[in-house]
Amino acid sequence: RPPALRPPRALALADKVANRREQPTDATCITEMSVMMACWKQNDFNDTPCAEEIRRFYDCVAKAE
């Protein structure tokens, strides 16, 4: 039985592959987030003493985006 769809060109592999930039699969800003959460835990989840850690985390997230 013949195929239902006919390809517009002959099926063959190309000599080149597309030059695509792959997205990084590893998580970013994990260290900054861990430091921020540890600071929160030490200070009973009060943001005031952890302002520097929070700023570093948000800066990292902004760079990653």
Side-chain angles (χ1 to χ4, degrees):
R1 159 177 170 195
L5 297 174
R6 295 198 185 271
R9 294 179 264 147
L11 298 178
L13 294 176
D15 292 334
K16 295 190 234 177
V17 293
N19 188 11
R20 295 185 194 160
R21 191 175 127 206
E22 293 190 19
Q23 297 294 328
T25 57
D26 56 320
T28 55
C29 304
I30 295 296
T31 304
E32 290 82 357
M33 184 172 55
S34 297
V35 170
M36 180 181 68
M37 290 184 166
C39 182
W40 276 342
K41 187 174 182 182
Q42 289 175 349
N43 294 293
D44 295 322
F45 299 96
N46 186 1
D47 285 347
T48 307
C50 302
E52 182 65 22
E53 288 81 358
I54 294 169
R55 185 193 59 78
R56 283 189 190 138
F57 174 69
Y58 282 127
D59 287 348
C60 180
V61 169
K63 279 184 188 177
E65 290 178 342

